[in-house]
Amino acid sequence: MLNSIPMKINIKNIAACVIATGALTALSSCNDLLDMEPITQITPQDYYKNADQLAAYLNNYYNGQLTNPFSGVMFHQATYTDGMNRSDVNTDIACVGGGNLTLYAPNHWQTGTGKSLQTYYGDVRVWNHFINTAQANYARNAIQGEDALVRNYIGEGHFFRALAYFRILALYGDAPIVTTVIPDQNDVIVENSIRSPRNEVARFILADLDTAITMLSDRSRFNGQRVCREAAQLLKSRVALFEGTFEKYHKGSGRVPGDAEWPGAAMSYNAGKTFNIDNEVNFFLTQAMEAAKAAVGSSTLTVNNRVLQPELGQISGWNPYFEMYSQKSLAGSEEVLLWKEYDAGVNVKHSAPFRSTTGCNDGMTRAFVEGFLMTDGKPFYASDLYRGDKSLDDVKANRDYRLQLFLWGESTLLRADSKYGDALGTLFGAPPITSSVVETRAITGYMSRKYVTYDQTQCDNDQILGVNACPIFRTAEAMLNYMEACVEKTGSVDGTAADYWRQLRRRAGVDEDFNATISATDLNKELQWSVYSGTTMVSSLIFNVRRERVAETFNEGLRFMDLIRWRSFDRMLTDKWIPEGCNFWDEMHVAYEGNGPILADGSPSSTVSGPSQSKYLRPYSANMASTNELLNGYSWREAYYLYPLGAVDLTSASPTRKPEDSNLYQNIHWPMTGGRYAEK
């Protein structure tokens, strides 16, 4: 959702945030689930007495709390990073140098010997304290300030608690629901450590968001710089869609309450519970549709005028859609419900503009690129407009404008001015595929142009100078959430979903007849993992809704979460998947030969995979040594759909400190003992 640069909040009295900074230290010191320093050591008990104090408390958490559930696994940081342009790596659409052995090679991921689940409850405790204290003071009229503003800040607390629980739900499934600050007493801690079934956790999150929605102001009050009502509606649709599709596609796996192998069935506190998962799926999908429609409201999408690059000497004002990812302020963007601001004056900056032009040891995949439609609305294999893939320019030609705009091609303008002595109108040229400097290597040849700006003051060599804003919540996602929930629930596209779909395709410069696309789609020719849920191909309709989703939201940190809920990793349980990039060995390699030999001999020093393997780059196959664990592709384990609880999680929730007596239970296919690998 966000990259690692702190969010700048334009709120008065922000210096008061220092009062709350001790929270992070206190939370990191807890030894047991929900057991940590008394909350009064975080902020004085009499602190919540005016609106500015509430705001100051909240401001301290905006940067650290606005993260997607899987961002820690997917978001590989480095000395230099291209920011959100690597937020979807380690999926079918993007790769990062070295890959992720924990996910995709056997015998790397173990049950932890320490804490796992309980580390996430520090955030829950912070929000329980804030909500309970602020609401109690508000109920007795003890908070000074404008009533709507006070209510807004309490609503933000509910939003952030819902987001904290969503991270827990997405990673662990079943979880304890705690709404109070638990005292430092072992018996109380153990009593409150029972895991509620995941559908109950999801319902609790939606209820928290309903409260937030009734209290929050709309976007116009803070111009998208604070959480607003529409952002809460969008998050509600995201949570409901996640849970509805997770329960639908994982039913019977042991990861859903009521399954024959669901480990929660063995717990006495679940005795007598029954689950109608089909009804639950229907409930969540309905909630997703209603919340998504409310989030969209009467707003309009940012305009794409189909201009692909600026005129020479022009820095901004050439395409509003492209610049939604590359301008300093998004206050006037109706589509962006919440955004992150940067300010060089206070050293809040990032390196995405520069690193997205030079290469950053990552890249988009062939599966990603080939998933984009042609402008006639047909897949590339069914269209007369397709020019082949022997060059980057060819693969982009006549394509969905999201690919044309946000993927570098040889003739794409790299710089529009000559501020640093470059020739006016410098072109991108050949991507740094064979660079001897690993951190600047384009490992697939396909480099994302999202988050790039033509303001050269943000792109000067290796300095971190970027200040272009980052969208966090967009109404386009709400449209996609509605479309998918509608299709998953009813099997068809209703009038609202059809309208949203046409709006998105219109902006993308793609023929609006999505039914023609559905008819022309051959799922056997599609490379993206979302063709499958489990080991079964989905319908062409569902796949094309998923296709639209990735085309619109790529590199916004949603892809891994989507693949988890769709159960789209299952094919790799039996058949490895080899990531590929651009077509290098037909013609593109010629552009590199003048710089010396291309290292493709299979040795550890090779920069690219050889033509005998494939004409398409295989970023993890350049080194053909037997020690290269990703040489033959990615594999997967059933257990990986849910994170394991750590050994200390289990013992700290046990009255005897023995894991077999714990109020917590281990997720399916993970061992109870720390330091052991997944069982299946």
Side-chain angles (χ1 to χ4, degrees):
M1 188 182 298
L2 295 175
N3 59 21
S4 62
I5 308 301
M7 174 176 260
K8 176 177 177 284
I9 303 291
N10 287 332
I11 292 293
K12 294 179 180 179
N13 299 326
I14 194 167
C17 289
V18 297
I19 296 174
T21 56
L24 296 180
T25 303
L27 298 182
S28 65
S29 65
C30 60
N31 295 314
D32 297 323
L33 181 66
L34 311 175
D35 176 18
M36 57 197 68
E37 294 296 323
I39 204 74
T40 53
Q41 294 186 19
I42 298 176
T43 52
Q45 193 64 29
D46 61 352
Y47 180 65
Y48 308 86
K49 294 298 180 65
N50 64 63
D52 284 347
Q53 290 174 338
L54 299 183
Y57 185 104
L58 292 157
N59 293 347
N60 190 59
Y61 295 99
Y62 259 78
N63 182 62
Q65 299 286 305
L66 284 167
T67 57
N68 276 333
F70 298 97
S71 59
V73 174
M74 310 305 10
F75 212 141
H76 284 239
Q77 298 295 344
T79 303
Y80 297 106
T81 175
D82 47 357
M84 291 298 289
N85 271 332
R86 64 172 52 197
S87 62
D88 285 334
V89 297
N90 298 316
T91 68
D92 56 336
I93 68 168
C95 296
V96 68
N100 190 313
L101 298 179
T102 300
L103 288 173
Y104 298 128
N107 296 333
H108 282 274
W109 197 353
Q110 300 176 333
T111 295
T113 56
K115 299 174 290 185
S116 181
L117 169 65
Q118 67 184 243
T119 61
Y120 290 87
Y121 276 87
D123 293 339
V124 171
R125 185 179 177 90
V126 164
W127 299 117
N128 284 345
H129 172 64
F130 175 83
I131 290 169
N132 294 341
T133 305
Q135 284 184 332
N137 288 351
Y138 180 71
R140 61 176 188 267
N141 297 316
I143 303 179
Q144 297 178 352
E146 179 192 345
D147 184 71
L149 194 58
V150 173
R151 286 175 54 81
N152 181 87
Y153 294 147
I154 296 174
E156 286 187 31
H158 283 279
F159 174 93
F160 280 115
R161 184 171 68 179
L163 190 55
Y165 266 109
F166 182 40
R167 285 191 288 270
I168 293 169
L169 171 71
L171 299 181
Y172 296 96
D174 307 343
I177 298 175
V178 181
T179 60
T180 60
V181 177
I182 303 300
D184 187 12
Q185 299 171 11
N186 285 340
D187 57 339
V188 179
I189 292 168
V190 170
E191 180 184 353
N192 282 273
S193 296
I194 63 174
R195 296 181 77 179
S196 295
R198 62 176 302 131
N199 62 308
E200 294 179 9
V201 179
R203 282 175 174 264
F204 169 76
I205 296 170
L206 298 190
D208 232 2
L209 288 169
D210 283 339
T211 301
I213 290 165
T214 64
M215 304 186 81
L216 287 165
S217 302
D218 63 29
R219 184 196 184 279
S220 63
R221 172 142 200 173
F222 299 108
N223 291 320
Q225 284 237 267
R226 294 198 78 96
V227 171
C228 62
R229 180 185 305 122
E230 297 90 339
Q233 290 163 335
L234 174 50
L235 180 59
K236 182 181 177 183
S237 74
R238 184 187 291 181
V239 173
L241 180 62
F242 179 92
E243 188 60 20
T245 50
F246 188 100
E247 292 186 22
K248 176 177 179 177
Y249 289 116
H250 290 261
K251 183 181 178 182
S253 68
R255 294 181 283 270
V256 174
D259 287 352
E261 294 184 276
W262 176 53
M267 307 305 292
S268 60
Y269 55 75
N270 282 325
K273 288 187 177 181
T274 59
F275 303 94
N276 187 325
I277 295 303
D278 291 339
N279 284 351
E280 291 295 281
V281 169
N282 184 70
F283 167 77
F284 287 118
L285 295 178
T286 301
Q287 291 285 300
M289 291 173 67
E290 292 175 354
K293 189 173 183 179
V296 175
S298 59
S299 65
T300 58
L301 294 174
T302 302
V303 172
N304 172 21
N305 60 15
R306 304 186 188 179
V307 175
L308 294 177
Q309 56 193 24
E311 298 289 337
L312 295 183
Q314 186 179 20
I315 292 177
S316 61
W318 57 275
N319 188 324
Y321 184 41
F322 184 93
E323 292 178 279
M324 184 169 60
Y325 299 94
S326 65
Q327 58 185 303
K328 294 180 181 179
S329 173
L330 293 170
S333 176
E334 187 176 329
E335 177 178 343
V336 180
L337 302 178
L338 183 65
W339 58 282
K340 183 175 180 179
E341 185 179 27
Y342 299 84
D343 188 339
V346 293
N347 203 34
V348 180
K349 300 176 293 184
H350 57 87
S351 57
F354 177 71
R355 285 290 159 181
S356 297
T357 64
T358 64
C360 203
N361 198 27
D362 54 24
M364 311 309 292
T365 66
R366 177 187 172 200
F368 167 75
V369 171
E370 290 191 359
F372 281 87
L373 299 172
M374 309 304 294
T375 55
D376 62 7
K378 296 178 181 178
F380 76 95
Y381 51 76
S383 174
D384 295 333
L385 298 177
Y386 183 54
R387 285 182 14 188
D389 60 9
K390 292 182 179 180
S391 72
L392 303 180
D393 284 345
D394 280 351
V395 84
K396 289 173 55 178
N398 305 318
R399 219 64 179 260
D400 182 322
Y401 272 76
R402 290 169 293 201
L403 189 69
Q404 294 193 57
L405 276 169
F406 298 124
L407 190 75
W408 288 104
E410 291 92 349
S411 63
T412 307
L413 194 63
L414 179 63
R415 297 181 182 90
D417 61 35
S418 55
K419 179 177 177 60
Y420 295 103
D422 301 295
L424 193 65
T426 302
L427 302 183
F428 180 74
I433 292 171
T434 61
S435 173
S436 60
V437 181
V438 173
E439 70 176 23
T440 64
R441 193 172 293 166
I443 64 172
T444 66
Y446 290 134
M447 289 173 53
S448 173
R449 192 173 164 229
K450 248 183 184 180
Y451 310 103
V452 166
T453 176
Y454 281 89
D455 176 5
Q456 283 301 117
T457 63
Q458 300 186 47
C459 307
D460 184 17
N461 51 64
D462 286 343
Q463 296 180 47
I464 299 176
L465 299 171
V467 292
N468 54 314
C470 180
I472 300 172
F473 288 116
R474 296 192 294 125
T475 55
E477 185 200 339
M479 291 180 173
L480 293 161
N481 291 351
Y482 184 96
M483 289 162 49
E484 186 182 342
C486 175
V487 168
E488 292 284 5
K489 179 184 175 183
T490 69
S492 61
V493 179
D494 69 10
T496 299
D499 176 57
Y500 290 165
W501 205 345
R502 286 191 290 266
Q503 286 188 52
L504 291 166
R505 289 170 68 111
R506 189 181 311 135
R507 179 167 72 176
V510 173
D511 188 288
E512 296 177 30
D513 187 357
F514 52 81
N515 286 312
T517 303
I518 294 166
S519 298
T521 297
D522 182 346
L523 295 177
N524 291 295
K525 295 180 180 179
E526 300 289 347
L527 299 181
Q528 292 181 6
W529 297 348
S530 48
V531 167
Y532 283 83
S533 280
T535 55
T536 303
M537 280 186 172
V538 297
S539 69
S540 182
L541 169 59
I542 289 177
F543 171 72
N544 275 289
V545 170
R546 294 177 179 182
R547 183 207 300 273
E548 193 72 44
R549 184 175 184 85
V550 70
E552 181 62 38
T553 65
F554 75 90
N555 288 358
E556 296 182 34
L558 297 176
R559 185 61 172 177
F560 193 86
M561 181 166 56
D562 288 341
L563 295 169
I564 286 287
R565 64 187 177 87
W566 293 332
R567 197 176 174 180
S568 292
F569 296 91
D570 270 23
R571 281 188 299 161
M572 292 187 294
L573 294 170
T574 54
D575 299 310
K576 289 190 175 184
W577 184 82
I578 300 177
E580 291 186 327
C582 68
N583 178 355
F584 184 75
W585 288 108
D586 270 351
E587 294 181 2
M588 195 181 299
H589 68 96
V590 175
Y592 300 82
E593 291 174 350
N595 298 323
I598 299 173
L599 297 178
D601 61 1
S603 70
S605 59
S606 291
T607 54
V608 293
S609 56
S612 62
Q613 295 169 289
S614 172
K615 67 180 181 180
Y616 297 101
L617 289 178
R618 293 185 170 181
Y620 304 132
S621 302
N623 174 9
M624 298 184 67
S626 59
T627 54
N628 179 3
E629 295 182 75
L630 296 180
L631 173 63
N632 297 313
Y634 293 171
S635 59
W636 185 254
R637 305 297 301 276
E638 283 274 10
Y640 292 0
Y641 282 110
L642 292 174
Y643 277 32
L645 278 67
V648 173
D649 291 332
L650 299 169
T651 56
S652 64
S654 169
T656 64
R657 291 299 192 255
K658 296 179 180 178
E660 60 268 24
D661 298 325
S662 181
N663 266 348
L664 297 175
Y665 45 88
Q666 184 59 280
N667 279 329
I668 189 169
H669 306 313
W670 285 107
M672 297 278 284
T673 304
R676 296 187 180 179
Y677 301 115
E679 297 164 348
K680 181 178 178 182

